[in-house]
Amino acid sequence: MNQGPIGVFDSGYGGLTVLKEIVKELPQYDYLYLGDNARTPYGTRSFDTIYEYTLECVKHLFDQGCHLVILACNTASAKALRNIQQKDLPLLAPEKRVLGVIRPTAEIIGTFSKTNHVGVLGTSGTISSESYKIEIGKQFPGLSVFQQACPMWVPLVENGEHLNSGADYFIEKYINELFEQSDQIDTLLLACTHYPLLIEKIRQYAPEDINILNQGEVVAPSLKTYLDRHPEIAGKISKGGDLTFLTTDSTENFDRHASLFFGSEIHSKFVHI
Ligand code: DGL
């Protein structure tokens, strides 16, 4: 049986913030990252479109030899994961696994809150799916979950405007709208892969002693636990610490932007999906 890298998928650059934390936690494995930059953003697209695009990308990662694929995108995890796991995998590749980022985050968020009021910030797609409310409700039934869609935040980051003063208007607006729903929120979940890049500005407009959960830091240890519990999957992952990056759009753009998300230089390859 051929071993293969862990596939990490995102609609664009954002999943690199998750990959960065996973590589820190599990540096021994090989990774194949796929960013669907040609069709990003997913956050405002319909359920059917997000499902179709995500499935195509998962199939591509399978074709490249991945036995385990992480959907490092909240929008894809919210809108496509369940269908892929329940409908497609049993027919396509029953031995392979696709995991998302919502369940591991929902499993831990309640342990951070003293007031039992948490806030979830995400794309319109993630928030309208109610996935976080549903998953957190299963793990922590006593927790009140308040959600806020932040549709302008991904475009601000994608366009490199997130650290400029123009970004403050939209950061403050969505933070205020969230805290208008409850002033007891003491824990904020950044339920979008782009939002860690906005963390300093989010802190500026949120109450001083707020806990802010960076998802990559939650997903990485949870993946380690998963692989410890599933040696039959861990045994299929190749080791060597190789990182390969694929993009469905310009490699030049990808390499320029991606280092911002990943923290070090990247040389990507173009792939047509
Ligand atoms: N990566 C996506 C997420 O975590 C955000 C970007 C997009 O809208 O495609 O939800």
Side-chain angles (χ1 to χ4, degrees):
M1 195 262 319
N2 289 334
Q3 292 182 320
I6 298 179
V8 178
F9 165 73
D10 184 54
S11 57
Y13 308 114
L16 291 166
T17 60
V18 177
L19 177 66
K20 187 166 96 180
E21 299 300 332
I22 294 178
V23 172
K24 256 192 236 164
E25 185 81 37
L26 297 162
Q28 68 273 35
Y29 293 120
D30 295 332
Y31 295 90
L32 178 59
Y33 182 90
L34 171 58
D36 192 7
N37 298 81
R39 304 187 289 194
T40 200
Y42 280 19
T44 44
R45 294 189 189 275
S46 71
F47 179 96
D48 288 341
T49 303
I50 295 167
Y51 168 48
E52 180 192 323
Y53 288 180
T54 305
L55 181 59
E56 284 172 0
C57 291
V58 167
K59 281 183 182 165
H60 183 78
L61 288 167
F62 284 170
D63 290 346
Q64 299 304 303
C66 300
H67 298 278
L68 172 65
V69 171
I70 312 295
L71 302 186
C73 173
N74 286 273
T75 310
S77 297
K79 301 261 184 178
L81 180 64
R82 183 181 302 216
N83 264 356
I84 291 176
Q85 283 177 334
Q86 295 179 358
K87 267 180 45 194
D88 302 300
L89 265 189
L91 299 170
L92 262 179
E95 306 295 318
K96 300 201 183 218
R97 294 289 175 271
V98 180
L99 304 174
V101 288
I102 295 179
R103 171 86 76 81
T105 318
E107 278 171 357
I108 203 165
I109 190 166
T111 60
F112 289 88
S113 178
K114 291 197 172 66
T115 60
N116 279 337
H117 281 53
V118 301
V120 176
L121 302 162
T123 64
S124 306
T126 298
I127 298 305
S128 69
S129 75
E130 302 261 306
S131 299
Y132 274 100
K133 269 201 159 168
I134 296 165
E135 285 299 326
I136 294 172
K138 286 183 202 160
Q139 308 291 335
F140 299 98
L143 209 64
S144 300
V145 181
F146 300 89
Q147 303 195 99
Q148 179 64 43
C150 311
M152 287 303 290
W153 286 7
V154 168
L156 282 171
V157 175
E158 290 279 327
N159 289 290
E161 294 289 347
H162 55 294
L163 299 178
N164 296 335
S165 55
D168 287 58
Y169 173 82
F170 285 108
I171 309 276
E172 186 176 19
K173 176 177 159 53
Y174 299 143
I175 294 287
N176 286 349
E177 284 173 11
L178 177 68
F179 282 91
E180 274 160 22
Q181 299 178 49
S182 164
D183 59 7
Q184 290 182 58
I185 295 169
D186 67 349
T187 302
L188 275 187
L189 170 64
L190 306 186
C192 173
T193 50
H194 285 59
Y195 298 175
L197 276 81
L198 297 167
I199 197 160
E200 292 314 321
K201 283 197 189 279
I202 294 171
R203 270 193 205 290
Q204 210 176 309
Y205 292 105
E208 220 172 279
D209 46 1
I210 199 95
N211 297 312
I212 302 184
L213 239 72
N214 175 353
Q215 207 166 26
E217 291 168 12
V218 174
V219 170
S222 153
L223 178 60
K224 182 175 186 306
T225 307
Y226 175 86
L227 291 171
D228 288 344
R229 286 202 192 132
H230 295 276
E232 76 286 4
I233 303 292
K236 293 179 188 166
I237 303 169
S238 53
K239 290 183 173 172
D242 279 353
L243 293 172
T244 306
F245 298 90
L246 304 176
T247 174
T248 57
D249 204 65
S250 146
T251 54
E252 212 175 85
N253 282 347
F254 188 88
D255 297 352
R256 201 174 47 243
H257 283 95
S259 53
L260 188 68
F261 290 82
F262 196 61
S264 56
E265 218 176 283
I266 279 170
H267 297 287
S268 58
K269 294 177 197 159
F270 171 76
V271 62
H272 182 73
I273 301 282

